[in-house]
Amino acid sequence: LAFFIFLFFNVILFFLHSTASVPVVTIAVLALLWCGVSMPLVFLGAYFGYKKDAIEFPTVTSTIARAIPPPQPFLNPTVGMFVAGIVPFAAAYVELFFIMSSLWMDQYYYVFGFTLIVYLILILTCAVVTMLVVYSQLHAENHRWWWLAFFAPGSTALYIFLFSAFYFRSLNASGMLITYILYFGYMFLVSISVLLVLGAVGVLTSLWFMRKIYGTLKVD
C-alpha cells in the first residue's frame, strides 16, 4: 500500500515537472528490492513460523464465551482506545515537533541519541498504558482484549495526524492542491506506520501480561 501511494505521488510530481520526483531507475531498484528481498523473507518467516509449536495457554478456557455486561461510560472500550493514546503522544510530543521541523522545514537534525531515548520511552509508555487498559477491561468482565490492545496504543497515530494538521498551518505552504496531497498523504503513511508499530507493541505486551496473570491461577 505504501509503495503504491508513493508511486502515485511520484507520477503526479513527474507530470508537474517537479525536481522532487524520484527517477525511474530508483523506483525500479525499490521494486526489485521489494520483490527480491522483502517477499522472499515473508515466505521464509512463514515457513519457520508454521514449523513452530502452537502457543499453549496457561489455563483451560471454555469454548463458550461469557456474556459481557454493559460497561460503565468511563470503562467503555472505545473511550479507552482514544484516551490511551494521549499519554504516549504527550511523551513524544516535543521530539515530534523537532522531527516535523526537520522533515518539512529543511532544518538539520542531529540529536539521534536523544531520539532513541524518546523512542524507548514511547515504547515503554505504550506497554504500560496498554496493560492498564486491558486490565481495567478484564476487571469489568470484558474478555475481548485483543483489538483493544492493538488500538489503545495505536490511537497515538491519530493524535500524530491531527498534530500534523495543526503543524501544517505554520509552514506557510502554497495553496496548490498537490501541496496538500503530498503533505497529508505522507503524514498518513507515517501515521499508519506508527499505528502498526505501537499496535504490535500493545498486542505483544498484553499477550505476555495475560499469560503471566493467568499462569499464576491454580485451577483444580
Side-chain angles (χ1 to χ4, degrees), residues 137-184:
Q137 292 300 314
L138 294 177
H139 188 267
E141 302 182 19
N142 184 0
H143 58 273
R144 298 177 178 176
W145 58 270
W146 39 91
W147 285 114
L148 175 66
F150 181 83
F151 285 108
S155 63
T156 307
L158 174 63
Y159 295 104
I160 291 177
F161 189 79
L162 293 177
F163 171 75
S164 67
F166 285 100
Y167 184 84
F168 183 76
R169 301 175 58 185
S170 64
L171 294 179
N172 296 322
S174 64
M176 297 178 60
L177 179 62
I178 186 61
T179 303
Y180 292 86
I181 293 177
L182 289 176
Y183 178 83
F184 289 102

Side-chain angles (χ1 to χ4, degrees), residues 78-89:
T78 305
V79 176
M81 289 179 186
F82 288 102
V83 173
I86 299 177
V87 180
F89 174 75

Side-chain angles (χ1 to χ4, degrees), residues 31-174:
L32 183 62
L33 289 175
W34 182 28
C35 298
V37 178
S38 180
M39 292 181 63
L41 288 177
V42 170
F43 289 107
L44 183 64
Y47 171 76
F48 286 106
Y50 278 112
K51 293 176 68 68
K52 292 289 185 179
D53 296 332
I55 297 177
E56 296 182 358
F57 299 102
T59 57
V60 179
T61 57
S62 174
T63 57
I64 302 175
R66 294 182 57 183
I68 301 175
Q72 299 181 9
F74 58 90
L75 288 178
N76 191 296
T78 305
V79 176
M81 289 179 186
F82 288 102
V83 173
I86 299 177
V87 180
F89 174 75
Y93 168 75
V94 176
E95 193 64 20
L96 178 63
F97 176 81
F98 290 108
I99 293 175
M100 294 283 289
S101 300
S102 177
L103 285 175
W104 300 108
M105 299 185 68
D106 295 329
Q107 295 184 4
Y108 289 104
Y109 189 82
Y110 45 85
V111 286
F112 295 103
F114 186 73
T115 304
L116 177 61
I117 296 175
V118 173
Y119 176 73
L120 296 177
I121 293 175
L122 176 64
I123 296 298
L124 180 62
T125 305
C126 288
V128 174
V129 169
T130 306
M131 286 190 292
L132 291 176
V133 172
V134 169
Y135 182 78
S136 66
Q137 292 300 314
L138 294 177
H139 188 267
E141 302 182 19
N142 184 0
H143 58 273
R144 298 177 178 176
W145 58 270
W146 39 91
W147 285 114
L148 175 66
F150 181 83
F151 285 108
S155 63
T156 307
L158 174 63
Y159 295 104
I160 291 177
F161 189 79
L162 293 177
F163 171 75
S164 67
F166 285 100
Y167 184 84
F168 183 76
R169 301 175 58 185
S170 64
L171 294 179
N172 296 322
S174 64

Side-chain angles (χ1 to χ4, degrees), residues 1-7 34 188-189 192:
L1 176 62
F3 179 77
F4 286 110
I5 293 177
F6 166 75
L7 188 62
W34 182 28
F188 173 76
L189 292 179
I192 292 297

